[in-house]
Amino acid sequence: MKLSEVTLSHRYADMGDAFGRRINPTPFKHPQLIDINPPVLQLLGINAAEASNPDWAQLGCGAKLFHGSRPFAMKYTGHQFGVYNPDLGDGRALLLGEVEHQGKSWELHLKGAGQTPYSRFGDGRAVLRSTIREYLAGEALSGLGIRSTRALSIVGSDEPVTREQIEKGAMLIRVAESHVRFGHFEYLFYTKQLQAQQQLIGEICRRFLPDSQELSIGEQAEAMLRFTTKRSAELVAGWQAVGFAHGVLNTDNMSIIGDTFDYGPYAFLDDYDPTFICNHSDHTGRYAFEQQPGVVLWNLNALAHALSGFVSVEALRDCLEQFQPQVTDAFAARMRAKLGLTTEEEGDQALCADLLQLLQQADYTLFFRALSHYRGERPAQGLQECLTEAQHSALEQWLGHYDRRLAREHSDSCARNRAMLATNPKYLLRNYLAQKVIEAAETGDYQPLRTLRQLLQSPFDEHPQHEVWASAPPESGKRIPLSCSS
């Protein structure tokens, strides 16, 4: 369809004032379209030719609204670093509405749209730096086959916004099937709005669990928790397999449908370090890379508590007890694929654990990409190049176990290599690359942003003309400090 034909409905706002407040965005005076995302245009059913429509700059900053849009600031609460905060909500973003395409509803959410009733002392704005990082992160994880919110567009401005320093303001249209967080249910539970909570449970079930429509509210709440638990388990297993650290896994940053949600100080691992902390505000390591499965379970416990008005303690406990085996199974399946294994054996977990121990301080992504070319040769030069000389003997020992495991597969090495190359990415959203793109964009050069976006959308392809984007980071590009304003 044409851009002029896009019409939004707003079932979330239709539920009433218990869920937030209607408010108009504060647009930029002189907006500039920085990028439009063609695959997301396709998701929404908008013609590719509409990418050049001059209205995007106005739509992408709230100066013009889509037909039917009723901007709405969502109210929620949540646990931040384990402490309940009742004062949360859409403080710089507005839910514009939803568009239907091919049987799916996609919600559009304008980030950086100005102050709302939930801004507290914030300015309601976003900066170009953080907007680019979120824009690229959604494409990076989606390209790797991990559920994530995505973004339709970035619009920039010359409007100054103060963070650690004065930066340029920007806005992003985030796209997701749902923007409901764990914190929505916590808000309604702690404020004793059980009728509204029942309404929200029904809405989530209507959209994502249609077979639950005839169930009682208690059965629907339990079905929703089981759905969210399974999706959250699959999500965090995916993060651990690709080396993604979220950085701020508060309950208000957890999606009820198991999408990666609310990007802040995230990072993909360069050197493999399970203790890696990407958020310089995380002084205790609560959200360290290796802690993510545990903290997701902690968040699910908070969600379960918020549903305790509808679900028995026994049923809640049973739901939560499913999480660990679901994570284990999902992670094992992903790691077998990374190793090129099509069957399952009892010793696979030990084989994987031994490799991860070997990879301490080695580049995680480059090693698995090199392993995707391995055919039993000695010396395994491509693999040795990823490690220090002191690690070579340990590598040889591990490869001996790996060779014997592959022999029991009876698989064709060429087919295995092809499958592994489609599982282990060549291109990754490393922080030094994101910083390179940001610095270029701050000078008005947006081509590096577009190039990296395209590479992240097909990260397993060779793209020989862009080899430099697949290089290991320099030492100065590792462990770049990131704050919550990132």
Side-chain angles (χ1 to χ4, degrees), residues 378-459:
R378 294 291 194 278
Q381 191 169 354
L383 297 174
Q384 289 180 345
E385 290 172 356
C386 298
L387 304 172
T388 66
E389 190 171 344
Q391 293 171 302
H392 288 180
S393 61
L395 172 64
E396 283 299 312
Q397 184 177 2
W398 183 83
L399 285 174
H401 295 301
Y402 183 51
D403 289 339
R404 290 189 289 275
R405 177 66 181 85
L406 290 177
R408 294 193 296 274
E409 288 269 306
H410 303 293
S411 61
D412 175 73
S413 60
C414 291
R416 182 180 70 250
N417 291 154
R418 285 195 299 271
M420 291 174 70
L421 288 169
T423 300
N424 296 312
K426 179 174 180 177
Y427 296 92
L428 189 75
L429 180 53
R430 299 179 186 269
N431 269 334
Y432 90 101
L433 295 177
Q435 188 59 33
K436 174 181 174 180
V437 164
I438 289 165
E439 290 172 0
E442 288 174 340
T443 69
D445 179 7
Y446 307 126
Q447 188 53 49
L449 167 64
R450 294 169 188 140
T451 298
L452 184 54
R453 169 177 58 74
Q454 291 165 358
L455 294 174
L456 296 173
Q457 288 167 340
S458 52

Coordinates of all heavy atoms in Angstrom, one line a residue, residues 378-459:
R378 N 44.9 -30.6 9.7 CA 46.0 -30.3 10.7 C 47.2 -29.8 10.0 O 47.6 -30.3 9.0 CB 46.4 -31.6 11.5 CG 45.3 -32.2 12.3 CD 44.9 -31.3 13.5 NE 44.1 -32.0 14.5 CZ 42.8 -32.2 14.4 NH1 42.2 -31.6 13.4 NH2 42.1 -32.8 15.4
P379 N 47.8 -28.7 10.6 CA 47.2 -27.9 11.7 C 45.9 -27.2 11.3 O 45.8 -26.8 10.1 CB 48.3 -27.0 12.1 CG 49.1 -26.8 10.8 CD 49.0 -28.1 10.0
A380 N 45.1 -26.9 12.3 CA 43.9 -26.2 12.0 C 44.2 -24.7 12.0 O 43.9 -24.0 13.0 CB 42.8 -26.5 13.0
Q381 N 44.8 -24.2 11.0 CA 45.4 -22.9 11.0 C 44.4 -21.8 11.2 O 44.6 -20.9 12.0 CB 46.2 -22.7 9.7 CG 47.0 -21.4 9.7 CD 48.0 -21.4 8.5 OE1 48.0 -22.3 7.7 NE2 48.7 -20.3 8.4
G382 N 43.2 -21.9 10.6 CA 42.2 -20.8 10.7 C 41.8 -20.7 12.2 O 41.4 -19.6 12.6
L383 N 41.7 -21.9 12.9 CA 41.3 -21.8 14.2 C 42.4 -21.4 15.2 O 42.2 -20.6 16.1 CB 40.8 -23.2 14.7 CG 39.6 -23.8 13.9 CD1 39.3 -25.2 14.3 CD2 38.4 -22.9 14.2
Q384 N 43.6 -21.8 14.9 CA 44.8 -21.4 15.7 C 44.9 -19.9 15.7 O 45.3 -19.3 16.7 CB 46.0 -22.1 15.2 CG 46.1 -23.5 15.5 CD 47.4 -24.2 15.0 OE1 48.1 -23.6 14.2 NE2 47.7 -25.4 15.4
E385 N 44.6 -19.2 14.5 CA 44.8 -17.8 14.4 C 43.8 -17.0 15.4 O 44.1 -15.9 15.7 CB 44.5 -17.4 13.0 CG 45.6 -17.8 12.0 CD 45.2 -17.5 10.6 OE1 44.1 -17.0 10.3 OE2 46.1 -17.7 9.7
C386 N 42.8 -17.7 15.8 CA 41.8 -17.1 16.7 C 42.3 -17.1 18.2 O 41.7 -16.5 19.1 CB 40.5 -17.7 16.6 SG 39.7 -17.6 15.0
L387 N 43.3 -17.9 18.4 CA 43.8 -18.2 19.8 C 45.2 -17.8 20.0 O 46.0 -17.6 19.0 CB 43.6 -19.7 20.1 CG 42.2 -20.3 19.9 CD1 42.3 -21.8 20.0 CD2 41.2 -19.7 20.9
T388 N 45.6 -17.7 21.2 CA 47.0 -17.5 21.5 C 47.8 -18.8 21.3 O 47.2 -19.9 21.3 CB 47.2 -17.0 23.0 OG1 46.9 -18.1 23.9 CG2 46.4 -15.8 23.2
E389 N 49.1 -18.7 21.2 CA 49.9 -19.9 21.0 C 49.8 -20.9 22.2 O 49.8 -22.1 22.0 CB 51.4 -19.5 20.8 CG 52.3 -20.7 20.3 CD 53.6 -20.2 19.9 OE1 53.8 -19.0 19.7 OE2 54.5 -21.1 19.8
A390 N 49.6 -20.3 23.4 CA 49.5 -21.1 24.6 C 48.2 -21.9 24.6 O 48.2 -23.0 25.3 CB 49.6 -20.2 25.8
Q391 N 47.3 -21.6 23.8 CA 46.0 -22.3 23.7 C 46.0 -23.4 22.7 O 45.0 -24.2 22.6 CB 44.8 -21.3 23.4 CG 44.6 -20.3 24.6 CD 43.6 -19.3 24.1 OE1 43.8 -18.5 23.2 NE2 42.5 -19.2 24.9
H392 N 47.0 -23.5 21.8 CA 47.0 -24.4 20.7 C 46.9 -25.8 21.1 O 46.2 -26.6 20.5 CB 48.2 -24.1 19.8 CG 48.1 -22.9 19.0 ND1 49.1 -22.4 18.1 CD2 47.2 -21.9 19.0 CE1 48.7 -21.3 17.6 NE2 47.6 -20.9 18.1
S393 N 47.6 -26.2 22.2 CA 47.6 -27.6 22.6 C 46.2 -28.0 23.1 O 45.7 -29.1 22.8 CB 48.7 -27.9 23.6 OG 48.4 -27.1 24.8
A394 N 45.6 -27.1 23.8 CA 44.2 -27.3 24.3 C 43.3 -27.4 23.1 O 42.3 -28.2 23.2 CB 43.8 -26.2 25.3
L395 N 43.5 -26.6 22.1 CA 42.6 -26.7 20.9 C 42.8 -28.0 20.3 O 41.8 -28.6 19.9 CB 43.1 -25.6 19.9 CG 42.4 -25.7 18.5 CD1 40.9 -25.4 18.6 CD2 43.0 -24.6 17.6
E396 N 44.0 -28.5 20.1 CA 44.2 -29.8 19.5 C 43.5 -30.9 20.3 O 42.9 -31.9 19.7 CB 45.7 -30.2 19.4 CG 46.4 -29.4 18.3 CD 45.9 -29.8 16.9 OE1 45.7 -31.0 16.6 OE2 45.6 -28.9 16.2
Q397 N 43.6 -30.9 21.6 CA 42.9 -31.9 22.4 C 41.4 -31.8 22.2 O 40.7 -32.8 22.0 CB 43.2 -31.6 23.9 CG 42.6 -32.7 24.8 CD 43.0 -32.5 26.2 OE1 43.7 -31.6 26.6 NE2 42.6 -33.4 27.1
W398 N 40.8 -30.6 22.1 CA 39.4 -30.4 21.9 C 39.0 -30.9 20.5 O 38.0 -31.6 20.4 CB 38.9 -29.0 22.1 CG 37.5 -28.8 22.0 CD1 36.5 -29.1 22.9 CD2 36.7 -28.5 20.8 NE1 35.2 -28.9 22.4 CE2 35.4 -28.5 21.1 CE3 37.1 -28.1 19.5 CZ2 34.4 -28.2 20.1 CZ3 36.2 -27.9 18.5 CH2 34.8 -27.9 18.9
L399 N 39.8 -30.6 19.5 CA 39.5 -31.0 18.2 C 39.5 -32.5 18.0 O 38.7 -33.1 17.2 CB 40.5 -30.4 17.2 CG 40.3 -28.9 16.9 CD1 41.5 -28.4 16.0 CD2 39.0 -28.6 16.2
G400 N 40.3 -33.2 18.8 CA 40.2 -34.7 18.8 C 38.9 -35.2 19.2 O 38.3 -36.1 18.6
H401 N 38.4 -34.6 20.3 CA 37.0 -35.0 20.8 C 36.0 -34.6 19.7 O 35.0 -35.4 19.4 CB 36.7 -34.3 22.1 CG 37.5 -34.7 23.2 ND1 37.6 -36.0 23.7 CD2 38.4 -34.0 24.0 CE1 38.5 -36.1 24.7 NE2 38.9 -34.9 24.9
Y402 N 36.1 -33.4 19.1 CA 35.2 -33.0 18.1 C 35.2 -33.8 16.9 O 34.1 -34.2 16.3 CB 35.5 -31.5 17.8 CG 34.6 -30.8 16.8 CD1 33.2 -30.8 17.0 CD2 35.1 -30.1 15.7 CE1 32.4 -30.1 16.1 CE2 34.3 -29.5 14.8 CZ 32.9 -29.5 15.0 OH 32.1 -28.8 14.1
D403 N 36.4 -34.2 16.4 CA 36.5 -35.1 15.2 C 35.8 -36.4 15.5 O 35.1 -36.9 14.6 CB 38.0 -35.4 14.9 CG 38.7 -34.2 14.3 OD1 38.0 -33.3 13.8 OD2 39.9 -34.1 14.4
R404 N 35.9 -37.0 16.7 CA 35.3 -38.3 16.9 C 33.8 -38.1 17.0 O 33.0 -39.0 16.6 CB 35.8 -38.9 18.3 CG 37.3 -39.4 18.1 CD 37.7 -40.1 19.4 NE 37.9 -39.3 20.5 CZ 39.0 -38.6 20.8 NH1 40.1 -38.7 19.9 NH2 39.2 -37.8 21.9
R405 N 33.3 -37.0 17.5 CA 31.9 -36.7 17.6 C 31.3 -36.5 16.2 O 30.2 -37.0 15.8 CB 31.6 -35.4 18.4 CG 30.2 -35.0 18.5 CD 29.3 -36.0 19.2 NE 27.9 -35.6 19.2 CZ 27.0 -35.8 18.3 NH1 27.4 -36.5 17.2 NH2 25.8 -35.4 18.4
L406 N 32.1 -35.8 15.3 CA 31.6 -35.7 13.9 C 31.6 -37.0 13.2 O 30.7 -37.2 12.4 CB 32.5 -34.7 13.2 CG 32.5 -33.2 13.6 CD1 33.5 -32.4 12.8 CD2 31.1 -32.6 13.4
A407 N 32.5 -37.9 13.5 CA 32.6 -39.2 12.8 C 31.3 -40.0 13.1 O 30.8 -40.7 12.2 CB 33.8 -39.9 13.2
R408 N 30.7 -39.8 14.3 CA 29.5 -40.5 14.6 C 28.3 -39.9 14.0 O 27.2 -40.6 14.0 CB 29.3 -40.6 16.2 CG 30.4 -41.4 16.9 CD 30.1 -41.7 18.3 NE 30.0 -40.5 19.1 CZ 31.0 -39.9 19.8 NH1 32.2 -40.4 19.6 NH2 30.8 -38.8 20.5
E409 N 28.4 -38.7 13.4 CA 27.3 -38.1 12.7 C 27.1 -38.7 11.3 O 26.0 -38.7 10.8 CB 27.6 -36.6 12.5 CG 27.5 -35.8 13.8 CD 26.1 -35.2 14.0 OE1 25.5 -34.6 13.1 OE2 25.5 -35.4 15.0
H410 N 28.2 -39.2 10.8 CA 28.2 -39.7 9.4 C 27.7 -38.6 8.4 O 26.9 -38.9 7.5 CB 27.3 -41.0 9.3 CG 27.8 -42.1 10.2 ND1 29.0 -42.7 10.0 CD2 27.2 -42.6 11.3 CE1 29.1 -43.6 11.0 NE2 28.1 -43.6 11.7
S411 N 28.0 -37.4 8.7 CA 27.5 -36.3 7.8 C 28.6 -35.9 6.8 O 29.8 -36.1 7.0 CB 27.2 -35.1 8.7 OG 28.3 -34.6 9.4
D412 N 28.1 -35.3 5.7 CA 28.9 -34.8 4.7 C 29.5 -33.5 5.1 O 28.8 -32.6 5.6 CB 28.1 -34.6 3.4 CG 28.9 -34.0 2.3 OD1 29.8 -34.6 1.7 OD2 28.7 -32.8 2.0
S413 N 30.9 -33.4 5.0 CA 31.5 -32.2 5.5 C 31.1 -30.9 4.8 O 31.0 -29.8 5.4 CB 33.1 -32.3 5.5 OG 33.5 -32.6 4.2
C414 N 30.9 -31.0 3.5 CA 30.5 -29.8 2.7 C 29.1 -29.4 3.2 O 28.9 -28.2 3.4 CB 30.4 -30.2 1.2 SG 32.0 -30.5 0.5
A415 N 28.2 -30.3 3.4 CA 26.8 -29.9 3.9 C 26.9 -29.3 5.3 O 26.2 -28.4 5.6 CB 25.9 -31.1 3.8
R416 N 27.8 -29.9 6.1 CA 27.9 -29.4 7.5 C 28.5 -28.0 7.4 O 28.0 -27.1 8.2 CB 28.8 -30.3 8.3 CG 29.0 -29.9 9.7 CD 29.9 -30.8 10.5 NE 31.3 -30.6 10.1 CZ 32.0 -31.6 9.5 NH1 31.4 -32.7 9.1 NH2 33.3 -31.4 9.1
N417 N 29.5 -27.8 6.6 CA 30.1 -26.4 6.5 C 29.0 -25.4 6.1 O 29.0 -24.3 6.6 CB 31.3 -26.4 5.6 CG 32.5 -27.2 6.1 OD1 33.3 -27.7 5.3 ND2 32.6 -27.3 7.4
R418 N 28.2 -25.8 5.1 CA 27.2 -24.9 4.6 C 26.2 -24.5 5.7 O 25.8 -23.4 5.9 CB 26.5 -25.4 3.4 CG 27.2 -25.4 2.1 CD 26.3 -25.7 0.9 NE 25.7 -27.0 1.0 CZ 26.2 -28.1 0.5 NH1 27.4 -28.1 -0.1 NH2 25.6 -29.2 0.6
A419 N 25.8 -25.5 6.5 CA 24.8 -25.3 7.6 C 25.5 -24.4 8.6 O 24.8 -23.5 9.2 CB 24.4 -26.7 8.1
M420 N 26.7 -24.7 9.0 CA 27.4 -23.9 10.0 C 27.6 -22.4 9.6 O 27.4 -21.5 10.4 CB 28.7 -24.5 10.4 CG 28.5 -25.8 11.1 SD 30.1 -26.7 11.4 CE 30.8 -25.6 12.7
L421 N 27.9 -22.2 8.3 CA 28.0 -20.9 7.8 C 26.7 -20.1 7.8 O 26.7 -18.9 7.8 CB 28.6 -20.9 6.4 CG 30.1 -21.3 6.3 CD1 30.5 -21.6 4.8 CD2 31.0 -20.2 6.9
A422 N 25.6 -20.8 7.8 CA 24.3 -20.2 7.9 C 23.8 -20.0 9.3 O 22.7 -19.6 9.6 CB 23.3 -21.0 7.1
T423 N 24.7 -20.4 10.3 CA 24.4 -20.3 11.7 C 25.3 -19.4 12.4 O 24.9 -18.7 13.4 CB 24.4 -21.8 12.3 OG1 23.5 -22.6 11.6 CG2 24.1 -21.7 13.8
N424 N 26.6 -19.5 12.0 CA 27.6 -18.7 12.7 C 27.9 -17.4 11.8 O 28.5 -17.5 10.7 CB 28.9 -19.5 12.8 CG 28.7 -20.7 13.8 OD1 28.2 -20.5 14.8 ND2 29.1 -21.9 13.3
P425 N 27.6 -16.2 12.3 CA 27.6 -15.0 11.5 C 29.1 -14.6 11.2 O 30.0 -14.8 12.0 CB 26.9 -14.0 12.3 CG 27.1 -14.5 13.8 CD 27.1 -16.0 13.7
K426 N 29.2 -14.0 10.1 CA 30.4 -13.3 9.7 C 30.4 -11.8 10.2 O 31.4 -11.3 10.6 CB 30.6 -13.3 8.2 CG 31.9 -12.6 7.7 CD 32.1 -12.8 6.2 CE 33.4 -12.1 5.8 NZ 33.6 -12.3 4.3
Y427 N 29.2 -11.2 10.2 CA 29.1 -9.8 10.6 C 28.3 -9.7 11.9 O 27.3 -10.4 12.0 CB 28.4 -9.0 9.4 CG 29.2 -9.0 8.2 CD1 29.1 -10.0 7.2 CD2 30.2 -8.1 8.0 CE1 29.9 -10.0 6.1 CE2 31.0 -8.1 6.9 CZ 30.8 -9.1 5.9 OH 31.6 -9.1 4.8
L428 N 28.8 -8.9 12.7 CA 28.2 -8.7 14.1 C 28.2 -7.3 14.4 O 29.0 -6.5 14.0 CB 29.1 -9.5 15.1 CG 28.5 -9.6 16.5 CD1 27.4 -10.7 16.5 CD2 29.6 -10.1 17.5
L429 N 27.2 -6.9 15.2 CA 27.1 -5.5 15.7 C 28.1 -5.2 16.9 O 27.7 -5.2 18.0 CB 25.7 -5.1 16.1 CG 25.5 -3.7 16.5 CD1 26.0 -2.6 15.5 CD2 24.0 -3.4 16.8
R430 N 29.3 -5.1 16.5 CA 30.3 -4.8 17.6 C 30.2 -3.4 18.0 O 29.9 -2.5 17.1 CB 31.7 -5.2 17.1 CG 31.9 -6.6 16.7 CD 33.3 -6.9 16.2 NE 33.5 -8.2 15.7 CZ 33.9 -9.3 16.4 NH1 34.2 -9.1 17.7 NH2 34.1 -10.4 15.9
N431 N 30.5 -3.1 19.2 CA 30.4 -1.7 19.7 C 31.3 -0.7 19.0 O 30.9 0.4 18.8 CB 30.6 -1.6 21.2 CG 29.3 -1.8 22.0 OD1 28.2 -1.5 21.5 ND2 29.4 -2.3 23.2
Y432 N 32.5 -1.2 18.6 CA 33.4 -0.2 17.9 C 32.8 0.1 16.5 O 33.0 1.2 16.0 CB 34.8 -0.8 17.9 CG 35.1 -1.6 16.6 CD1 35.9 -1.1 15.6 CD2 34.8 -3.0 16.6 CE1 36.2 -1.9 14.5 CE2 35.1 -3.7 15.5 CZ 35.8 -3.2 14.4 OH 36.1 -3.9 13.3
L433 N 32.1 -0.8 15.9 CA 31.4 -0.5 14.6 C 30.3 0.5 14.8 O 30.1 1.4 14.0 CB 31.0 -1.8 13.9 CG 32.0 -2.8 13.5 CD1 31.4 -4.0 12.9 CD2 33.0 -2.2 12.5
A434 N 29.5 0.2 15.9 CA 28.4 1.1 16.1 C 28.9 2.5 16.4 O 28.4 3.5 15.9 CB 27.6 0.6 17.4
Q435 N 30.0 2.6 17.1 CA 30.6 3.9 17.4 C 31.1 4.6 16.1 O 31.0 5.8 16.0 CB 31.8 3.8 18.4 CG 32.3 5.1 19.0 CD 31.3 5.9 19.7 OE1 30.4 5.4 20.3 NE2 31.4 7.3 19.5
K436 N 31.7 3.8 15.3 CA 32.2 4.4 14.0 C 31.0 4.9 13.2 O 31.1 6.0 12.6 CB 32.8 3.2 13.2 CG 33.3 3.6 11.8 CD 33.9 2.3 11.1 CE 34.2 2.6 9.6 NZ 34.8 1.4 9.0
V437 N 29.9 4.2 13.2 CA 28.7 4.7 12.4 C 28.1 6.0 13.1 O 27.7 6.9 12.4 CB 27.7 3.6 12.4 CG1 26.3 4.1 12.1 CG2 28.1 2.4 11.5
I438 N 28.1 6.0 14.4 CA 27.6 7.1 15.1 C 28.4 8.4 14.8 O 27.9 9.5 14.6 CB 27.5 6.8 16.6 CG1 26.4 5.8 16.9 CG2 27.3 8.1 17.5 CD1 26.5 5.2 18.3
E439 N 29.7 8.2 14.9 CA 30.6 9.4 14.7 C 30.4 9.9 13.3 O 30.5 11.1 13.1 CB 32.0 9.0 15.0 CG 32.3 8.8 16.4 CD 33.7 8.2 16.7 OE1 34.5 8.0 15.7 OE2 34.0 8.0 17.9
A440 N 30.2 9.0 12.3 CA 30.0 9.5 10.9 C 28.7 10.2 10.8 O 28.6 11.3 10.2 CB 30.1 8.3 9.9
A441 N 27.6 9.6 11.5 CA 26.3 10.2 11.4 C 26.3 11.6 12.0 O 25.6 12.5 11.6 CB 25.3 9.3 12.1
E442 N 27.1 11.8 13.1 CA 27.1 13.1 13.8 C 27.7 14.2 12.9 O 27.5 15.4 13.2 CB 27.8 13.0 15.1 CG 27.0 12.2 16.1 CD 27.8 11.9 17.4 OE1 29.0 11.9 17.4 OE2 27.1 11.6 18.4
T443 N 28.4 13.8 11.9 CA 29.0 14.8 10.9 C 28.0 14.9 9.7 O 28.4 15.6 8.7 CB 30.4 14.4 10.4 OG1 30.3 13.2 9.6 CG2 31.3 14.1 11.6
G444 N 26.9 14.1 9.6 CA 26.0 14.2 8.5 C 26.2 13.1 7.5 O 25.6 13.1 6.4
D445 N 27.1 12.2 7.7 CA 27.4 11.1 6.8 C 26.7 9.8 7.3 O 27.0 9.2 8.2 CB 28.9 10.8 6.7 CG 29.3 9.7 5.8 OD1 28.4 9.2 5.1 OD2 30.5 9.3 5.8
Y446 N 25.6 9.5 6.5 CA 24.7 8.4 7.0 C 25.0 7.1 6.2 O 24.3 6.1 6.4 CB 23.3 8.8 6.8 CG 22.9 10.1 7.6 CD1 22.3 11.1 6.9 CD2 23.3 10.2 8.9 CE1 22.1 12.3 7.6 CE2 23.0 11.4 9.6 CZ 22.4 12.5 8.9 OH 22.1 13.6 9.6
Q447 N 25.9 7.1 5.2 CA 26.2 5.9 4.4 C 26.7 4.8 5.3 O 26.3 3.6 5.1 CB 27.1 6.2 3.3 CG 27.3 5.1 2.3 CD 25.9 4.5 1.8 OE1 25.1 5.3 1.3 NE2 25.7 3.2 1.9
P448 N 27.6 5.0 6.2 CA 28.1 3.9 7.0 C 26.9 3.2 7.8 O 26.9 2.0 8.0 CB 29.1 4.5 8.0 CG 29.6 5.7 7.2 CD 28.5 6.2 6.5
L449 N 26.0 4.0 8.3 CA 24.8 3.5 9.0 C 24.0 2.5 8.1 O 23.7 1.4 8.4 CB 23.9 4.6 9.4 CG 22.5 4.3 9.9 CD1 22.6 3.4 11.2 CD2 21.7 5.5 10.2
R450 N 23.8 3.0 6.8 CA 23.0 2.1 5.9 C 23.8 0.9 5.5 O 23.2 -0.2 5.4 CB 22.7 3.0 4.6 CG 21.7 4.1 5.0 CD 21.6 5.1 3.8 NE 20.8 6.3 4.3 CZ 21.1 7.5 3.9 NH1 22.1 7.8 3.1 NH2 20.4 8.5 4.4
T451 N 25.1 1.0 5.3 CA 25.9 -0.2 5.0 C 25.9 -1.2 6.1 O 25.7 -2.4 5.9 CB 27.4 0.3 4.7 OG1 27.4 1.1 3.6 CG2 28.3 -1.0 4.5
L452 N 26.1 -0.8 7.4 CA 26.1 -1.7 8.5 C 24.7 -2.3 8.7 O 24.6 -3.5 8.9 CB 26.6 -1.0 9.8 CG 26.7 -1.9 11.0 CD1 27.6 -3.1 10.7 CD2 27.2 -1.1 12.2
R453 N 23.7 -1.5 8.5 CA 22.3 -2.1 8.6 C 22.1 -3.2 7.6 O 21.6 -4.3 8.0 CB 21.2 -1.0 8.4 CG 19.8 -1.6 8.2 CD 18.8 -0.5 8.0 NE 18.9 0.4 6.9 CZ 18.7 0.1 5.6 NH1 18.4 -1.2 5.3 NH2 18.9 1.0 4.7
Q454 N 22.5 -3.0 6.4 CA 22.4 -4.0 5.4 C 23.2 -5.3 5.7 O 22.7 -6.4 5.5 CB 22.7 -3.5 4.0 CG 21.7 -2.4 3.5 CD 22.3 -1.6 2.4 OE1 23.4 -1.8 1.9 NE2 21.5 -0.7 1.9
L455 N 24.4 -5.1 6.2 CA 25.2 -6.3 6.6 C 24.6 -7.0 7.7 O 24.6 -8.3 7.7 CB 26.6 -5.8 6.9 CG 27.5 -5.2 5.8 CD1 28.8 -4.7 6.4 CD2 27.7 -6.2 4.7
L456 N 24.0 -6.4 8.7 CA 23.4 -7.0 9.8 C 22.1 -7.7 9.4 O 21.7 -8.7 10.1 CB 23.1 -6.0 10.9 CG 24.3 -5.3 11.5 CD1 23.9 -4.2 12.5 CD2 25.2 -6.4 12.2
Q457 N 21.5 -7.3 8.4 CA 20.3 -8.0 7.9 C 20.6 -9.3 7.2 O 19.7 -10.1 7.0 CB 19.5 -7.0 7.0 CG 18.8 -5.9 7.9 CD 18.3 -4.7 7.0 OE1 18.7 -4.6 5.8 NE2 17.4 -3.9 7.6
S458 N 21.8 -9.5 6.7 CA 22.2 -10.7 6.1 C 23.6 -11.1 6.6 O 24.6 -11.1 5.9 CB 22.2 -10.6 4.6 OG 23.0 -9.5 4.2
P459 N 23.7 -11.4 7.9 CA 25.0 -11.5 8.6 C 25.8 -12.7 8.2 O 27.0 -12.8 8.5 CB 24.7 -11.4 10.1 CG 23.3 -12.1 10.2 CD 22.6 -11.6 8.9

